[in-house]
Amino acid sequence: KNNYLILHQPSTNIIMKELNINFLDAAELFYPSQICEDLTQVDNGLWAESAPYIADRFFEEYHAKKNAKGEC
């Protein structure tokens, strides 16, 4: 599982920059996300996508959760 996640450290870097948070905080948001879980599923090919694509999918999930909680 961790090998796929290491490949997407650049996605975490994008999250860090977009949210203006440190790497550890970005990782704490990214690693428990559904998109991160989906990265462990080899058969879906998601692991081969680019860091910006993965980050975009993360932000879709992130904003949907924030909106569901009433946070903007």
Side-chain angles (χ1 to χ4, degrees):
K1 177 176 177 174
N2 290 335
N3 292 337
Y4 299 111
L5 302 181
I6 290 168
L7 291 174
H8 284 284
Q9 179 179 342
S11 301
T12 307
N13 288 338
I14 293 169
I15 294 164
M16 177 181 72
K17 290 176 184 172
E18 290 289 323
L19 296 178
N20 196 28
I21 57 177
N22 66 43
F23 184 82
L24 182 58
D25 290 342
E28 288 176 348
L29 289 173
F30 180 65
Y31 289 110
S33 70
Q34 184 61 51
I35 189 66
C36 191
E37 179 64 29
D38 292 347
L39 284 169
T40 66
Q41 307 302 315
V42 180
D43 58 336
N44 67 19
L46 187 60
W47 57 270
E49 295 290 347
S50 69
Y53 178 86
I54 298 300
D56 284 348
R57 301 296 72 76
F58 166 81
F59 281 118
E60 288 175 0
E61 178 182 341
Y62 175 79
H63 291 300
K65 285 180 182 177
K66 285 186 70 102
N67 288 338
K69 291 180 180 179
E71 301 171 13
C72 294

